[in-house]
Coordinates of all heavy atoms in Angstrom, one line a residue:
E31 N -16.5 68.0 -58.7 CA -17.7 67.4 -59.3 C -19.0 68.0 -58.7 O -19.9 68.3 -59.4 CB -17.6 65.8 -59.1 CG -18.8 65.1 -59.6 CD -18.8 63.6 -59.3 OE1 -18.0 63.2 -58.5 OE2 -19.7 63.0 -59.9
F32 N -19.0 68.1 -57.4 CA -20.3 68.6 -56.7 C -20.6 70.0 -57.2 O -21.7 70.3 -57.6 CB -20.1 68.6 -55.2 CG -21.2 69.3 -54.5 CD1 -22.4 68.8 -54.3 CD2 -20.9 70.6 -54.0 CE1 -23.4 69.5 -53.7 CE2 -21.9 71.3 -53.4 CZ -23.2 70.8 -53.2
L33 N -19.6 70.9 -57.2 CA -19.9 72.3 -57.5 C -20.3 72.4 -59.0 O -21.2 73.2 -59.3 CB -18.7 73.2 -57.3 CG -18.3 73.4 -55.8 CD1 -17.1 74.2 -55.7 CD2 -19.5 74.1 -55.1
D34 N -19.8 71.6 -59.9 CA -20.2 71.6 -61.3 C -21.6 71.1 -61.4 O -22.4 71.8 -62.1 CB -19.2 70.7 -62.1 CG -19.6 70.7 -63.5 OD1 -19.7 71.7 -64.1 OD2 -19.8 69.6 -64.1
L35 N -22.0 70.0 -60.8 CA -23.3 69.5 -60.9 C -24.4 70.4 -60.2 O -25.5 70.6 -60.8 CB -23.5 68.1 -60.5 CG -23.5 67.7 -59.0 CD1 -24.9 67.8 -58.5 CD2 -23.0 66.3 -58.8
I36 N -24.0 71.0 -59.1 CA -25.0 71.8 -58.4 C -25.2 73.1 -59.2 O -26.3 73.7 -59.2 CB -24.7 72.0 -56.9 CG1 -26.0 72.3 -56.2 CG2 -23.6 73.0 -56.7 CD1 -27.1 71.3 -56.3
E37 N -24.2 73.6 -59.8 CA -24.3 74.8 -60.7 C -25.3 74.5 -61.8 O -26.2 75.3 -62.1 CB -23.0 75.3 -61.2 CG -23.2 76.5 -62.1 CD -21.8 77.0 -62.7 OE1 -20.9 76.3 -62.7 OE2 -21.8 78.2 -63.1
K38 N -25.1 73.3 -62.4 CA -26.0 72.9 -63.5 C -27.5 72.8 -63.0 O -28.4 73.2 -63.7 CB -25.6 71.6 -64.2 CG -24.3 71.8 -65.0 CD -23.8 70.5 -65.5 CE -22.5 70.7 -66.3 NZ -21.7 69.5 -66.5
D39 N -27.6 72.2 -61.8 CA -28.9 72.1 -61.2 C -29.5 73.5 -60.9 O -30.7 73.7 -61.2 CB -28.9 71.2 -60.0 CG -30.3 70.9 -59.5 OD1 -31.2 70.9 -60.2 OD2 -30.3 70.6 -58.2
A40 N -28.8 74.3 -60.4 CA -29.3 75.7 -60.0 C -29.6 76.5 -61.3 O -30.7 77.1 -61.4 CB -28.2 76.5 -59.2
V41 N -28.8 76.5 -62.3 CA -29.1 77.2 -63.5 C -30.3 76.6 -64.2 O -31.2 77.4 -64.6 CB -27.9 77.2 -64.5 CG1 -28.2 77.7 -65.9 CG2 -26.7 78.0 -63.9
G42 N -30.4 75.3 -64.3 CA -31.6 74.7 -64.9 C -32.8 74.9 -64.1 O -33.9 75.2 -64.7
S43 N -32.7 74.9 -62.8 CA -33.9 75.1 -62.0 C -34.4 76.6 -62.1 O -35.6 76.8 -62.2 CB -33.5 74.9 -60.5 OG -33.2 73.5 -60.3
R44 N -33.5 77.5 -62.1 CA -33.9 78.9 -62.3 C -34.6 79.2 -63.6 O -35.4 80.1 -63.7 CB -32.7 79.8 -62.2 CG -32.1 79.8 -60.8 CD -30.8 80.6 -60.7 NE -30.1 80.5 -59.4 CZ -28.8 80.6 -59.3 NH1 -28.0 80.8 -60.3 NH2 -28.3 80.4 -58.0
A45 N -34.4 78.4 -64.6 CA -35.0 78.5 -65.9 C -36.4 77.9 -65.9 O -37.2 78.2 -66.9 CB -34.2 77.9 -67.0
E46 N -36.8 77.2 -64.9 CA -38.1 76.6 -64.9 C -39.2 77.6 -64.6 O -39.0 78.5 -63.8 CB -38.2 75.5 -63.7 CG -37.3 74.3 -64.0 CD -37.2 73.4 -62.7 OE1 -38.1 73.5 -61.9 OE2 -36.2 72.7 -62.6
P47 N -40.3 77.6 -65.3 CA -41.3 78.6 -65.1 C -41.9 78.7 -63.6 O -42.2 79.8 -63.2 CB -42.5 78.2 -66.0 CG -42.2 76.8 -66.4 CD -40.7 76.5 -66.2
G48 N -41.9 77.6 -62.9 CA -42.4 77.7 -61.5 C -41.4 77.9 -60.4 O -41.7 77.9 -59.2
C49 N -40.1 78.0 -60.8 CA -39.1 78.2 -59.8 C -38.9 79.7 -59.6 O -38.6 80.5 -60.5 CB -37.7 77.6 -60.3 SG -36.4 77.9 -59.1
L50 N -39.2 80.1 -58.3 CA -39.1 81.5 -58.0 C -37.7 81.9 -57.4 O -37.3 83.0 -57.5 CB -40.2 81.9 -56.9 CG -41.6 81.5 -57.3 CD1 -42.6 81.9 -56.2 CD2 -42.0 82.3 -58.6
R51 N -37.0 80.9 -56.9 CA -35.7 81.1 -56.3 C -35.0 79.8 -56.1 O -35.5 78.8 -55.7 CB -35.9 81.8 -55.0 CG -34.6 82.2 -54.3 CD -34.8 83.2 -53.1 NE -33.6 84.0 -53.0 CZ -33.5 85.2 -53.4 NH1 -34.4 85.8 -54.0 NH2 -32.3 85.8 -53.3
F52 N -33.7 79.8 -56.4 CA -32.8 78.7 -56.2 C -31.4 79.2 -55.9 O -30.7 79.7 -56.8 CB -32.7 77.7 -57.4 CG -32.1 76.4 -57.2 CD1 -32.9 75.3 -57.2 CD2 -30.8 76.3 -56.9 CE1 -32.3 74.0 -56.9 CE2 -30.2 75.1 -56.6 CZ -31.0 73.9 -56.7
D53 N -31.1 79.2 -54.6 CA -29.8 79.8 -54.1 C -29.0 78.7 -53.5 O -29.5 77.8 -52.9 CB -30.0 80.8 -53.1 CG -30.8 82.0 -53.6 OD1 -30.8 82.3 -54.8 OD2 -31.5 82.7 -52.7
V54 N -27.7 78.7 -53.8 CA -26.8 77.7 -53.2 C -25.8 78.5 -52.2 O -25.2 79.5 -52.6 CB -25.9 77.0 -54.3 CG1 -25.0 76.0 -53.6 CG2 -26.8 76.3 -55.3
H55 N -25.8 78.1 -51.0 CA -25.0 78.8 -50.0 C -23.9 77.8 -49.4 O -24.2 76.6 -49.3 CB -25.8 79.2 -48.8 CG -26.9 80.2 -49.2 ND1 -26.7 81.5 -49.2 CD2 -28.2 79.9 -49.6 CE1 -27.8 82.1 -49.6 NE2 -28.7 81.2 -49.8
Q56 N -22.7 78.3 -49.1 CA -21.6 77.5 -48.6 C -21.4 78.0 -47.2 O -21.3 79.2 -46.9 CB -20.4 77.6 -49.5 CG -19.3 76.7 -49.0 CD -18.1 76.8 -50.0 OE1 -17.9 77.8 -50.6 NE2 -17.4 75.7 -50.1
S57 N -21.2 77.1 -46.2 CA -20.9 77.4 -44.9 C -19.6 78.2 -44.7 O -18.6 77.8 -45.4 CB -20.9 76.2 -44.0 OG -20.4 76.4 -42.7
Q58 N -19.6 79.2 -43.9 CA -18.3 79.9 -43.6 C -17.4 79.1 -42.7 O -16.2 79.2 -42.7 CB -18.6 81.2 -43.0 CG -19.3 82.2 -43.9 CD -19.6 83.5 -43.3 OE1 -19.4 83.7 -42.1 NE2 -20.1 84.5 -44.0
D59 N -18.0 78.2 -41.9 CA -17.2 77.4 -41.0 C -16.7 76.1 -41.5 O -15.7 75.5 -41.1 CB -18.1 77.1 -39.7 CG -18.5 78.3 -39.0 OD1 -17.7 79.3 -39.0 OD2 -19.6 78.4 -38.4
N60 N -17.5 75.5 -42.5 CA -17.2 74.2 -43.0 C -17.4 74.3 -44.6 O -18.5 74.3 -45.0 CB -18.0 73.1 -42.4 CG -17.8 71.8 -43.0 OD1 -17.0 71.6 -44.0 ND2 -18.3 70.7 -42.4
P61 N -16.3 74.4 -45.3 CA -16.4 74.5 -46.8 C -17.1 73.3 -47.5 O -17.4 73.4 -48.7 CB -15.0 74.7 -47.3 CG -14.1 74.1 -46.2 CD -14.9 74.3 -44.9
N62 N -17.3 72.2 -46.8 CA -17.9 71.0 -47.3 C -19.4 71.0 -47.0 O -20.1 70.0 -47.3 CB -17.2 69.8 -46.9 CG -15.8 69.6 -47.4 OD1 -15.6 69.9 -48.6 ND2 -14.9 69.2 -46.6
K63 N -19.9 72.0 -46.4 CA -21.3 72.1 -46.0 C -22.0 73.1 -46.8 O -21.6 74.3 -46.9 CB -21.5 72.4 -44.5 CG -22.9 72.3 -44.0 CD -22.9 72.6 -42.5 CE -23.3 71.3 -41.8 NZ -23.5 71.5 -40.4
F64 N -23.1 72.7 -47.5 CA -23.9 73.6 -48.3 C -25.4 73.6 -47.9 O -25.9 72.6 -47.4 CB -23.8 73.1 -49.8 CG -22.4 73.3 -50.3 CD1 -21.4 72.3 -50.1 CD2 -22.0 74.4 -51.1 CE1 -20.1 72.4 -50.6 CE2 -20.8 74.5 -51.6 CZ -19.8 73.6 -51.3
M65 N -26.0 74.7 -48.3 CA -27.5 74.8 -48.1 C -28.1 75.3 -49.4 O -27.5 76.2 -50.0 CB -27.8 75.8 -47.0 CG -29.3 75.8 -46.7 SD -29.8 77.1 -45.6 CE -30.2 78.4 -46.9
F66 N -29.2 74.7 -49.8 CA -29.9 75.1 -51.0 C -31.2 75.8 -50.5 O -31.9 75.2 -49.6 CB -30.3 74.0 -51.9 CG -29.1 73.1 -52.2 CD1 -29.3 71.7 -52.4 CD2 -27.8 73.6 -52.4 CE1 -28.3 70.9 -52.6 CE2 -26.8 72.7 -52.7 CZ -27.0 71.4 -52.8
Y67 N -31.5 76.9 -51.0 CA -32.8 77.6 -50.7 C -33.6 77.7 -52.0 O -33.2 78.4 -52.9 CB -32.5 79.0 -50.1 CG -33.7 79.8 -49.7 CD1 -34.5 79.4 -48.7 CD2 -34.1 80.9 -50.5 CE1 -35.7 80.1 -48.3 CE2 -35.3 81.6 -50.1 CZ -36.0 81.2 -49.1 OH -37.2 81.8 -48.7
E68 N -34.6 76.9 -52.0 CA -35.4 76.8 -53.2 C -36.9 77.2 -52.9 O -37.4 76.8 -51.9 CB -35.4 75.4 -53.7 CG -34.1 74.8 -53.9 CD -34.1 73.3 -54.3 OE1 -34.9 72.9 -55.2 OE2 -33.4 72.5 -53.6
V69 N -37.4 78.0 -53.8 CA -38.8 78.4 -53.7 C -39.5 78.2 -55.0 O -39.0 78.6 -56.1 CB -38.9 80.0 -53.3 CG1 -40.4 80.4 -53.2 CG2 -38.1 80.3 -52.0
Y70 N -40.6 77.5 -54.9 CA -41.4 77.2 -56.1 C -42.8 77.7 -56.0 O -43.4 77.9 -54.9 CB -41.5 75.6 -56.3 CG -40.1 75.1 -56.6 CD1 -39.3 74.7 -55.6 CD2 -39.6 75.1 -57.9 CE1 -38.0 74.2 -55.8 CE2 -38.3 74.6 -58.1 CZ -37.5 74.2 -57.1 OH -36.3 73.8 -57.4
K71 N -43.4 78.0 -57.1 CA -44.8 78.6 -57.1 C -45.8 77.8 -56.4 O -46.7 78.3 -55.7 CB -45.2 78.8 -58.6 CG -46.5 79.4 -58.8 CD -46.7 79.6 -60.3 CE -48.2 80.0 -60.6 NZ -48.5 80.1 -62.0
D72 N -45.7 76.4 -56.6 CA -46.7 75.5 -56.0 C -46.2 74.1 -56.1 O -45.1 73.9 -56.6 CB -48.1 75.7 -56.7 CG -48.0 75.6 -58.3 OD1 -47.2 74.8 -58.8 OD2 -48.9 76.2 -58.9
A73 N -47.1 73.2 -55.7 CA -46.7 71.8 -55.7 C -46.4 71.2 -57.1 O -45.6 70.4 -57.3 CB -47.7 70.9 -55.0
D74 N -47.2 71.7 -58.1 CA -47.0 71.3 -59.4 C -45.6 71.7 -60.0 O -45.0 71.0 -60.7 CB -48.1 71.9 -60.4 CG -49.4 71.2 -60.1 OD1 -49.5 70.1 -59.6 OD2 -50.5 71.9 -60.5
A75 N -45.2 72.9 -59.5 CA -43.8 73.3 -59.9 C -42.8 72.5 -59.3 O -41.7 72.2 -60.0 CB -43.6 74.8 -59.5
V76 N -43.0 72.0 -58.1 CA -42.0 71.1 -57.5 C -42.0 69.8 -58.2 O -40.9 69.2 -58.5 CB -42.3 70.9 -56.0 CG1 -41.4 69.8 -55.4 CG2 -42.2 72.2 -55.2
A77 N -43.2 69.3 -58.5 CA -43.2 68.0 -59.3 C -42.5 68.1 -60.6 O -41.8 67.2 -61.0 CB -44.7 67.6 -59.4
F78 N -42.8 69.2 -61.3 CA -42.1 69.5 -62.6 C -40.6 69.5 -62.4 O -39.8 68.9 -63.2 CB -42.6 70.8 -63.2 CG -41.9 71.1 -64.5 CD1 -42.3 70.6 -65.7 CD2 -40.9 72.1 -64.5 CE1 -41.7 70.9 -66.9 CE2 -40.2 72.4 -65.7 CZ -40.7 71.8 -66.9
H79 N -40.1 70.2 -61.4 CA -38.7 70.3 -61.1 C -38.1 68.9 -60.9 O -37.0 68.6 -61.4 CB -38.5 71.1 -59.8 CG -37.1 71.1 -59.3 ND1 -36.0 71.7 -59.9 CD2 -36.6 70.6 -58.1 CE1 -35.0 71.5 -59.2 NE2 -35.3 70.8 -58.1
K80 N -38.8 68.0 -60.2 CA -38.2 66.7 -59.9 C -38.2 65.8 -61.2 O -37.5 64.8 -61.1 CB -39.0 66.0 -58.8 CG -38.8 66.7 -57.5 CD -39.5 66.1 -56.4 CE -39.2 66.7 -55.0 NZ -39.9 66.1 -53.9
E81 N -38.8 66.2 -62.2 CA -38.7 65.5 -63.5 C -37.6 65.9 -64.4 O -37.4 65.3 -65.5 CB -40.1 65.6 -64.2 CG -41.3 65.0 -63.5 CD -42.6 65.4 -64.1 OE1 -42.6 66.2 -65.0 OE2 -43.6 64.8 -63.6
Q82 N -36.9 67.0 -64.1 CA -36.0 67.6 -65.0 C -34.6 66.9 -65.0 O -34.2 66.4 -63.9 CB -35.8 69.1 -64.7 CG -37.1 69.9 -64.8 CD -37.9 69.6 -66.0 OE1 -37.3 69.9 -67.1 NE2 -39.1 69.1 -65.9
P83 N -33.9 66.9 -66.1 CA -32.6 66.2 -66.1 C -31.6 66.9 -65.2 O -30.7 66.2 -64.6 CB -32.1 66.4 -67.6 CG -33.2 67.1 -68.3 CD -34.3 67.4 -67.4
H84 N -31.6 68.2 -65.0 CA -30.7 68.8 -64.0 C -30.9 68.3 -62.6 O -30.0 68.2 -61.8 CB -30.7 70.3 -64.1 CG -32.0 70.9 -64.1 ND1 -32.8 71.2 -65.2 CD2 -32.8 71.3 -63.0 CE1 -33.9 71.8 -64.8 NE2 -33.9 71.8 -63.5
F85 N -32.2 68.0 -62.3 CA -32.5 67.5 -60.9 C -31.9 66.1 -60.8 O -31.4 65.7 -59.7 CB -34.0 67.5 -60.7 CG -34.4 67.0 -59.3 CD1 -34.2 67.7 -58.2 CD2 -34.9 65.7 -59.2 CE1 -34.6 67.2 -56.9 CE2 -35.2 65.2 -57.9 CZ -35.1 66.0 -56.8
A86 N -32.0 65.3 -61.9 CA -31.4 63.9 -61.9 C -29.9 63.9 -61.6 O -29.4 63.0 -60.9 CB -31.7 63.2 -63.2
L87 N -29.2 65.0 -62.0 CA -27.8 65.1 -61.7 C -27.6 65.0 -60.2 O -26.7 64.3 -59.6 CB -27.2 66.4 -62.2 CG -27.1 66.5 -63.7 CD1 -26.7 67.9 -64.1 CD2 -26.2 65.5 -64.3
W88 N -28.4 65.8 -59.5 CA -28.3 65.9 -58.0 C -28.7 64.6 -57.4 O -28.1 64.0 -56.5 CB -29.2 67.0 -57.5 CG -29.4 67.1 -56.0 CD1 -30.6 66.9 -55.4 CD2 -28.4 67.2 -55.0 NE1 -30.4 67.0 -54.0 CE2 -29.1 67.2 -53.8 CE3 -27.0 67.3 -55.0 CZ2 -28.4 67.3 -52.6 CZ3 -26.4 67.4 -53.8 CH2 -27.0 67.4 -52.6
T89 N -29.9 64.0 -57.8 CA -30.3 62.7 -57.1 C -29.3 61.6 -57.4 O -29.1 60.8 -56.5 CB -31.7 62.4 -57.6 OG1 -31.8 62.3 -59.0 CG2 -32.8 63.4 -57.1
N90 N -28.8 61.6 -58.6 CA -27.8 60.5 -58.9 C -26.5 60.7 -58.1 O -25.9 59.7 -57.6 CB -27.4 60.5 -60.4 CG -28.6 60.1 -61.3 OD1 -29.5 59.5 -60.8 ND2 -28.5 60.5 -62.5
F91 N -26.1 61.9 -57.8 CA -24.9 62.2 -57.0 C -25.2 61.8 -55.6 O -24.3 61.1 -54.9 CB -24.6 63.7 -57.1 CG -23.4 64.1 -56.3 CD1 -22.1 63.9 -56.8 CD2 -23.5 64.7 -55.0 CE1 -21.0 64.2 -56.1 CE2 -22.4 65.1 -54.3 CZ -21.1 64.8 -54.9
K92 N -26.4 62.1 -55.1 CA -26.7 61.7 -53.7 C -26.7 60.1 -53.6 O -26.2 59.6 -52.6 CB -28.1 62.2 -53.3 CG -28.1 63.6 -52.9 CD -29.4 64.2 -52.6 CE -30.2 63.4 -51.6 NZ -31.5 64.1 -51.2
E93 N -27.4 59.5 -54.5 CA -27.5 58.0 -54.5 C -26.1 57.3 -54.7 O -25.9 56.2 -54.2 CB -28.4 57.5 -55.6 CG -29.9 57.9 -55.3 CD -30.8 57.7 -56.5 OE1 -30.3 57.2 -57.6 OE2 -32.0 57.9 -56.4
S94 N -25.1 58.0 -55.3 CA -23.8 57.4 -55.5 C -23.0 57.5 -54.2 O -21.8 57.0 -54.2 CB -23.1 58.1 -56.6 OG -22.6 59.4 -56.2
G95 N -23.5 58.2 -53.2 CA -22.7 58.3 -51.9 C -22.0 59.6 -51.9 O -21.2 59.8 -51.0
G96 N -22.3 60.5 -52.8 CA -21.6 61.8 -52.8 C -22.0 62.8 -51.7 O -21.4 63.8 -51.5
V97 N -23.0 62.4 -50.9 CA -23.5 63.3 -49.9 C -23.5 62.5 -48.5 O -24.0 61.4 -48.4 CB -25.0 63.7 -50.2 CG1 -25.6 64.5 -49.0 CG2 -25.0 64.5 -51.5
V98 N -22.9 63.1 -47.5 CA -22.8 62.5 -46.2 C -24.1 62.5 -45.5 O -24.5 61.5 -45.0 CB -21.7 63.2 -45.4 CG1 -21.7 62.7 -43.9 CG2 -20.3 63.1 -46.0
S99 N -24.8 63.7 -45.5 CA -26.1 63.8 -44.9 C -26.9 64.8 -45.7 O -26.3 65.8 -46.2 CB -26.0 64.1 -43.4 OG -25.5 65.4 -43.2
S100 N -28.2 64.7 -45.6 CA -29.1 65.7 -46.3 C -30.3 65.8 -45.5 O -30.9 64.9 -45.0 CB -29.4 65.2 -47.7 OG -30.3 66.0 -48.3
V101 N -30.7 67.1 -45.2 CA -31.9 67.4 -44.5 C -32.7 68.4 -45.3 O -32.2 69.3 -45.9 CB -31.6 68.1 -43.1 CG1 -32.8 68.4 -42.4 CG2 -30.7 67.1 -42.3
S102 N -34.0 68.1 -45.4 CA -34.9 68.9 -46.2 C -36.0 69.4 -45.3 O -36.5 68.7 -44.4 CB -35.6 68.2 -47.4 OG -34.6 67.8 -48.3
Y103 N -36.4 70.7 -45.5 CA -37.5 71.3 -44.8 C -38.5 71.8 -45.8 O -38.1 72.5 -46.7 CB -37.0 72.5 -43.9 CG -36.0 72.1 -42.8 CD1 -34.7 72.2 -43.0 CD2 -36.5 71.5 -41.6 CE1 -33.8 71.8 -42.0 CE2 -35.6 71.1 -40.6 CZ -34.2 71.3 -40.8 OH -33.3 70.9 -39.9
K104 N -39.7 71.5 -45.6 CA -40.8 72.1 -46.5 C -41.5 73.1 -45.7 O -42.0 72.9 -44.6 CB -41.7 71.0 -47.0 CG -41.0 70.0 -47.9 CD -41.8 68.9 -48.4 CE -41.0 68.1 -49.3 NZ -41.0 66.7 -49.1
L105 N -41.6 74.3 -46.2 CA -42.1 75.5 -45.5 C -43.2 76.2 -46.4 O -43.2 76.1 -47.6 CB -41.0 76.5 -45.2 CG -39.8 75.9 -44.5 CD1 -38.6 77.0 -44.6 CD2 -40.1 75.5 -43.1
D106 N -44.1 76.9 -45.7 CA -45.1 77.7 -46.4 C -44.6 79.2 -46.2 O -44.3 79.6 -45.1 CB -46.5 77.5 -45.8 CG -47.0 76.2 -46.1 OD1 -46.9 75.7 -47.2 OD2 -47.7 75.6 -45.2
G107 N -44.6 79.9 -47.3 CA -44.2 81.3 -47.3 C -45.3 82.1 -46.6 O -46.5 82.0 -46.9
I108 N -44.9 83.0 -45.7 CA -45.8 83.9 -45.1 C -45.6 85.3 -45.6 O -46.5 85.9 -46.1 CB -45.6 83.8 -43.5 CG1 -45.8 82.4 -43.0 CG2 -46.6 84.8 -42.8 CD1 -47.1 81.8 -43.3
F109 N -44.4 85.9 -45.4 CA -44.1 87.2 -45.9 C -43.0 87.0 -47.0 O -41.9 86.8 -46.6 CB -43.6 88.1 -44.8 CG -44.7 88.4 -43.8 CD1 -44.5 87.8 -42.5 CD2 -45.8 89.2 -44.0 CE1 -45.5 88.1 -41.5 CE2 -46.7 89.4 -43.1 CZ -46.6 88.8 -41.8
M110 N -43.4 87.1 -48.2 CA -42.5 86.8 -49.3 C -42.2 88.1 -50.1 O -43.1 88.9 -50.3 CB -43.1 85.8 -50.3 CG -43.5 84.5 -49.6 SD -42.1 83.4 -49.3 CE -41.6 83.0 -50.9
S111 N -41.0 88.3 -50.5 CA -40.7 89.4 -51.4 C -41.1 89.1 -52.8 O -41.2 87.9 -53.2 CB -39.2 89.8 -51.3 OG -38.4 88.7 -51.7
D112 N -41.2 90.1 -53.6 CA -41.6 89.9 -55.0 C -40.5 89.4 -55.9 O -39.4 89.7 -55.7 CB -42.2 91.2 -55.6 CG -43.5 91.6 -55.0 OD1 -44.2 90.7 -54.5 OD2 -43.8 92.8 -54.9

């Protein structure tokens, strides 16, 4: 269930005009641990992202107890590739 919904979230996110990158990584040590690397053009793009139906799949999954723990970091890009 998780892989299916996160693929839908990733594909939908990548189609958003303000999404510059949405990568899903799986830990080599723990196959149940994932990291998402998301880059958005600006705060408006993040707000738009959070209104999308594919984002709701992820938030509903988290709220249902499908995630043991979740940590988010908000960063500013310094040296970014094109």
Side-chain angles (χ1 to χ4, degrees):
E31 177 184 12
F32 168 78
L33 289 177
D34 181 53
L35 77 87
I36 203 58
E37 180 182 17
K38 288 176 181 164
D39 189 22
V41 170
S43 298
R44 290 174 188 150
E46 296 170 20
C49 180
L50 304 177
R51 184 167 207 100
F52 193 110
D53 299 332
V54 179
H55 302 271
Q56 185 176 29
S57 170
Q58 293 179 355
D59 299 327
N60 180 348
N62 292 319
K63 188 178 245 185
F64 293 84
M65 185 193 90
F66 311 143
Y67 180 69
E68 304 174 51
V69 180
Y70 296 89
K71 179 179 170 185
D72 53 28
D74 289 338
V76 173
F78 178 81
H79 170 67
K80 292 182 177 181
E81 297 170 352
Q82 302 310 300
H84 51 266
F85 180 78
L87 294 171
W88 169 242
T89 56
N90 293 341
F91 183 77
K92 280 176 53 174
E93 290 170 0
S94 75
V97 175
V98 174
S99 67
S100 178
V101 177
S102 296
Y103 299 97
K104 293 181 176 127
L105 310 167
D106 291 320
I108 303 300
F109 299 108
M110 304 284 291
S111 59
D112 294 334

